[in-house]
Structures are given as C-alpha cells and as structure tokens.
Amino acid sequence: MTARLSDASVADIDAVSALAARTFPLACPPELGPVAIRAFIAEHLGPEAFRAHLVTPGHEVLVARGDDGEMVGYILLIAGTEMDPGCAGQVIHRPTTGVSKFYVDPDHHGGGIASDMLDEVCRRCRAAGTRSIWLATNVANARARRFYVKRGFEPRGNRTFDVGGVANTDVVYELGL
C-alpha cells in the first residue's frame, strides 16, 4: 500500500485524535503505567489539542491515507526547536523542523507506510528550505530507533520527556537534508 500525505483539516481531527490514542502507547516503555499514558493522551492528544495545532503558526498536522482513503498515519511537525527548546543545542543544522508526532496505525506496520510518510516530510521540508528534521523517541522504543537510524537519522543526545508526570529518557535524532 502506498500512503499519501496531506494537510489535515478540521474534519480530520477526531480521527487523528483516535489514531493518536491508539498509537501513542506503542511508543511507551513497558514499565510506564497505564495511568501516566492515559493522562498524557488526555492532555496532549485529544481533539482540542490537535485543533490548536491546526491554527498555530509553524505547526503542521499531516495525515497519511492509503489507496482506499483510510487514515493510516499522522505526523505533527513544529518549526524550529519550539517543541522542546532544551534540545536546541543538540540540533546542528538550521533552519530545522521538529517531528513531534510520527505514527502509523499498527494494522499497517511493516508495509512501508512510515517510509512513504518520511519521504514526503523530507520533500516538503527541503522545498521550504529546511536543512534538517529532528525528533526524539524513547530509549526503549527499539523499533522506531532502528527505523530512524536506517533512514539516516543521527543521534544527537538525550532529553527528559514527561508522560503523565513520569520522567522518561528519549534519544534525540537529527536528519540532515
């Protein structure tokens, strides 16, 4: 299946939020409890949070749709290092874009959709004059870490990421464009 990435609309927000609630727990370390995960989802992945991203300058919510139009993934891009200013010193290339969220529906894992999505993000960012994209993922998220390294991302350091009041360690990666 080929995934096509497009800008999300207000009509997409409930579906994006539902997909976010299904996929976020997959990126969490096994020892992170369900209470913390639910708290994070409620605060950061509800429809109101995504509606706010739609109208915030420098934020882009993108949805990936399969050949049948089904939403199979989503991405949240944030210009610069706004999503975590503490990581600014770890990012080498400027201007940069942060990948705040990058998720594929688990029913579609392993089918190349994440690669299609990343290719389109890189194309869009290059066209906008961006010199790198950066992101952070939990140290225990081995699947995501393998994917990012395979796609050319380089580790730049670590950060602490709060999930429902619980501190987690993330690896910060950057991909030069």
Side-chain angles (χ1 to χ4, degrees):
M1 170 190 298
T2 302
R4 291 180 188 84
L5 207 57
S6 62
D7 295 322
S9 70
V10 172
D12 294 319
I13 293 306
D14 288 339
V16 171
S17 178
L19 180 59
R22 282 195 319 275
T23 56
F24 178 73
L26 301 173
C28 295
E31 67 275 4
L32 187 62
V35 172
I37 293 170
R38 284 194 301 270
F40 184 89
I41 290 169
E43 184 176 350
H44 299 285
L45 302 177
E48 60 286 342
F50 284 106
R51 279 188 199 93
H53 288 301
L54 282 182
V55 298
T56 302
H59 293 212
E60 292 181 77
V61 180
L62 306 172
V63 294
R65 298 187 190 282
D67 299 328
D68 60 359
E70 173 192 12
M71 188 179 299
V72 295
Y74 81 99
I75 297 174
L76 172 59
L77 301 176
I78 300 180
T81 56
E82 175 191 338
M83 70 183 188
D84 190 337
C87 292
Q90 297 179 44
V91 177
I92 295 172
H93 306 287
R94 299 282 197 289
T96 190
T97 296
V99 179
S100 176
K101 309 284 182 276
F102 185 109
Y103 291 94
V104 172
D105 187 296
D107 291 343
H108 297 282
H109 283 183
I113 290 172
S115 291
D116 291 344
M117 292 168 63
L118 185 57
D119 289 345
E120 178 61 15
V121 164
C122 290
R123 187 199 66 72
R124 285 172 174 240
C125 287
R126 279 187 197 102
T130 302
R131 294 193 52 221
S132 76
I133 57 176
W134 73 278
L135 54 85
T137 193
N138 189 275
V139 295
N141 192 347
R143 181 184 183 119
R145 293 181 64 197
R146 278 191 309 272
F147 172 77
Y148 296 131
V149 169
K150 180 179 177 182
R151 293 301 309 260
F153 281 84
E154 296 181 33
R156 297 292 190 223
N158 294 316
R159 74 168 185 181
T160 300
F161 186 69
D162 183 276
V163 177
V166 178
N168 290 266
T169 302
D170 287 352
V171 179
V172 176
Y173 290 99
E174 183 179 22
L175 175 67
L177 301 175

